[in-house]
Amino acid sequence: MLLVNEREVAFTLGVCPQDLAARLKPGADIFIVNGYPVDAAAELQDGDACWLICRGETPPAEEMDRLLYARHTPGVHEKVKKAVVGVMGLGGLGSSVAVALARIGTGKLLLADFDVVEPSNLNRQQYFIDQVGMKKTEALKRNLARINPYVEVETVDEELTEERIPDIFQNVDVLAECFDSAAMKAAALRAALIGLKGKGYVGVSGVAGYADNNRIQTRELFPGIFIVGDGETAAMPGRGLMAPRVGIAAHHQANQVLRILLGKAEVRS
Amino acid sequence: MNILCNGEEREIAPGTSIGVLLKDLGLDPDSVVAECDSRILKREEYDTFVLDEGAALELIRFVGGG
C-alpha cells in the first residue's frame, strides 16, 4: 500500500511518482517521498508516503503538516505545532526569530511591536522595501503567511512595558526578548522573573557590529532563563547593528526556544 | 562591611543602597536586573533597598541593540 496525498493507494511493482500523478494529480511536478524530493521516475517501495504537488499551488494544511512531520526528527513536530511562543520586539532579532519559528511550523506566535518599518531597518530585519511605513506587526504577519499560512499569528500593536508584559504573555510557553533598548531588556527579564514564573525565556545582550562570531554565546542565568550574546558589544554611534551578527544571535535565540519546547532545558518553577 | 557581588567579595560602606552601588560601579540602573539573596528586586526599590552584611547580590547588566 502507498499513501498518496494522505490517501491509501494500492502498490504495484515498478510504480513511480509520474504514474501516480497522471492518475491522481494531473499537472503535479514536485514529488516528495517520505519527506524528501525525488525524481518523477523514482521507483517507489511498498509503504512509501508520497506527496504530489503542483508548483506554485499552496499545499493544504494537512499536507504542510505531513511535510514538516517527515522533515523533522521524530517526536519534534508534535511538540512544535502545539507550542505558543511570544516575541517582544520585531526588529533585527524578533523578525528573524519569528521567521525561523514559522518555518519549523510553530503552532502559534504572539508578536508585539508598536513601530513601523523604516528604510534603516532593511539592513537586518525581515521586511521588504515595499513595506516601508507599514506597521511591523502587520508587515511581519503578512511575510510569515507567505512562508507558512498555517502558523497562527496574533499581533499586539502597542509599546510594551514592564507592567503589561505578564498580562500579554501569560499564555505563552516560551518568551523571546528581542528589544533594542537595554532598559527594556532589563525590564522584560524582571517582568518574566517576577510575573511569569515557570515560563521559558530567551533574551539577548551584546550583538552589535561585526565582532567575532564565536563570542556570541547562549548562557543560562536561572533554570529555563537564557541570555544570548557577548554581553558587552552595545549598539552605538560608530558601531551599528547588521544582519550577519544580529542574525547569529537571533538564531541562537530561536534554537534555544526550540530546545525549551522540546524539553531539552529545565524551566524554573 | 562585605557583600558578595556576582560571586566576588566586595567592600561597601554600611547603608549602601543598590542604587548607590550601581552608581559606584558605573552602571545605568535602568539596564540592570538585580537579585539579592535569591529575590528579584523591583526597579523602584533600587534607591531604598539597603544591602546587609554578607548579602549575595547578582547583577545582570544589559547592553542595547537588537
Side-chain angles (χ1 to χ4, degrees):
Chain A
M1 198 68 78
L2 297 169
L3 202 60
V4 181
N5 292 16
E6 286 293 86
R7 283 165 50 198
E8 288 192 342
V9 173
F11 171 76
T12 51
L13 202 62
V15 71
C16 63
Q18 66 191 0
D19 302 336
L20 296 172
R23 270 163 46 207
L24 303 167
K25 186 138 178 134
D29 51 359
I30 299 173
F31 310 105
I32 309 288
V33 176
N34 303 326
Y36 291 88
V38 299
D39 290 338
E43 193 174 323
L44 297 173
Q45 308 295 320
D46 198 8
D48 280 347
C50 312
W51 286 98
L52 313 173
I53 298 168
C54 297
R55 200 176 296 270
E57 179 183 280
T58 300
E62 61 274 15
E63 194 169 322
M64 270 304 274
D65 208 46
R66 291 289 305 175
L67 290 171
L68 289 172
Y69 180 86
R71 171 64 57 162
H72 293 159
T73 311
V76 167
H77 187 58
E78 295 86 336
K79 288 179 181 164
V80 171
K81 76 175 184 184
K82 280 192 303 195
V84 183
V85 178
V87 182
M88 303 184 287
L90 305 178
L93 294 167
S95 62
S96 289
V97 166
V99 165
L101 294 176
R103 286 197 187 280
I104 60 169
T106 303
K108 180 176 173 180
L109 299 174
L110 180 53
L111 309 176
D113 203 297
F114 68 100
D115 220 342
V116 297
V117 179
E118 294 177 26
S120 65
N121 299 152
L122 297 176
N123 83 331
R124 67 189 187 283
Q125 304 185 16
Q126 304 299 333
Y127 303 103
F128 298 98
I129 198 157
D130 57 12
Q131 293 179 319
V132 167
M134 191 185 290
K135 284 279 184 188
K136 286 186 175 177
T137 44
E138 179 59 27
L140 190 57
K141 188 175 183 173
R142 290 185 193 190
N143 297 344
L144 298 179
R146 290 183 62 194
I147 292 169
N148 184 340
Y150 308 114
V151 171
E152 189 185 342
V153 177
E154 187 180 332
T155 58
V156 176
D157 181 15
E158 68 175 63
E159 188 163 8
L160 296 176
T161 63
E162 190 164 344
E163 294 67 37
R164 285 282 289 149
I165 287 169
D167 290 341
I168 292 171
F169 295 102
Q170 58 183 307
N171 294 321
V172 305
D173 298 306
V174 183
L175 191 52
E177 175 274 295
C178 302
F179 290 121
D180 187 49
S181 114
M184 276 312 295
K185 290 174 181 295
L189 178 59
R190 264 195 308 271
L193 289 170
I194 295 171
L196 291 170
K197 287 181 179 160
K199 293 203 190 298
Y201 184 95
V202 190
V204 172
S205 180
V207 298
Y210 46 88
D212 184 5
N213 302 339
N214 295 337
R215 281 173 56 208
I216 292 187
Q217 297 197 331
T218 301
R219 292 177 302 121
E220 188 170 34
L221 287 181
F222 304 103
I225 308 281
F226 297 85
I227 300 294
V228 170
D230 65 28
E232 54 191 25
T233 313
M236 58 174 70
R239 186 165 65 208
L241 295 158
M242 294 189 285
R245 201 158 191 261
V246 174
I248 292 171
H251 288 88
H252 265 250
Q253 238 184 328
N255 191 50
Q256 194 58 46
V257 168
L258 178 60
R259 287 177 59 77
I260 295 171
L261 294 174
L262 297 178
K264 301 295 179 196
E266 192 192 336
V267 175
R268 92 179 197 161
S269 51
Chain B
M1 64 178 224
N2 286 317
I3 62 163
L4 209 56
C5 182
N6 288 1
E8 287 182 17
E9 288 263 343
R10 185 177 181 88
E11 194 174 347
I12 59 168
T16 300
S17 67
I18 299 268
V20 167
L21 176 66
L22 291 176
K23 198 172 171 190
D24 289 348
L25 292 169
L27 297 175
D28 172 3
D30 283 337
S31 70
V32 173
V33 173
E35 183 195 48
C36 190
D37 297 325
S38 300
R39 184 169 81 82
I40 302 294
L41 301 179
K42 294 182 175 159
R43 174 64 186 87
E44 58 267 26
E45 293 179 277
Y46 286 13
D47 288 333
T48 54
F49 188 93
V50 172
L51 292 158
D52 290 331
E53 170 81 48
L57 183 66
E58 289 291 329
L59 300 177
I60 303 153
R61 173 204 169 218
F62 287 89
V63 299

